[in-house]
Amino acid sequence: MNGQGTRWLRLAALIVAVTAVALVIWQKHLLAHPAPGLILVLAAALPFLVDARYPRLLRAPWPGAVATLVVLGCAAALLAYRPTGGDAAVLFFIALAAECSAAAPLWFSVAAGAAAVVLPEAMNLAGVAHVSLAGAIGTAFAWAAGTGMRAQDRLTRE
């Protein structure tokens, strides 16, 4: 997928990820007490930075899967690390759902989108994190937007 819509969505996902970095650093006071939270937040943002610079690199199956697992794992760890109400780490899940739905194969997109919606809510129910249902709704909408961009790019090519 290299359509105009996908490029804009990739840029939007990068902006959301960079915003998440700034907000998580601020919310969790990671400049005053950096380790290990600062490492987690930078690792969660790295796949978005790589994808913005080298868009074809993470489209290959294995690098894309590894990048997705890195974002899911680091974002989940950030939710559990110094939990705060309205945790901004959920923004990483939103950016991931949008990007996977626009660029990954459909089966992978559905799996990654479901994980991005369910994982924060499961952590919330387990009492490990403090996220609202709005995060899950935002992630689902981001996945739907990416799916729409994919369909629009396909129609444009046809």
Side-chain angles (χ1 to χ4, degrees):
M1 299 279 137
N2 285 330
Q4 188 68 17
T6 305
R7 279 186 237 136
W8 283 109
L9 188 76
R10 194 170 45 248
L11 177 63
L14 176 63
I15 291 169
V16 169
V18 169
T19 302
V21 168
L23 289 174
V24 169
I25 287 173
W26 173 74
Q27 266 186 341
K28 298 181 184 282
H29 309 287
L30 296 181
L31 292 180
H33 309 286
L38 195 57
I39 294 168
L40 289 171
V41 78
L42 294 175
L46 184 62
F48 297 103
L49 295 170
V50 169
D51 189 56
R53 180 65 179 105
Y54 306 103
R56 295 188 192 277
L57 180 65
L58 297 181
R59 299 297 178 251
W62 285 108
V66 169
T68 300
L69 291 174
V70 165
V71 174
L72 285 172
C74 290
L78 282 167
L79 286 177
Y81 183 72
R82 297 183 192 154
T84 62
D87 203 323
V90 78
L91 291 173
F92 287 116
F93 292 104
I94 291 171
L96 180 68
E99 191 150 329
C100 280
S101 64
L106 184 60
W107 67 270
F108 189 85
S109 165
V110 170
V117 169
V118 171
L119 186 60
E121 291 306 314
M123 292 177 69
N124 192 40
L125 290 174
V128 178
H130 304 293
V131 295
S132 69
L133 185 59
I137 293 168
T139 304
F141 274 117
W143 185 86
T147 302
M149 290 284 187
R150 174 199 301 263
Q152 184 175 359
D153 284 348
R154 186 179 58 239
L155 287 173
T156 301
R157 280 194 316 273
E158 289 175 0

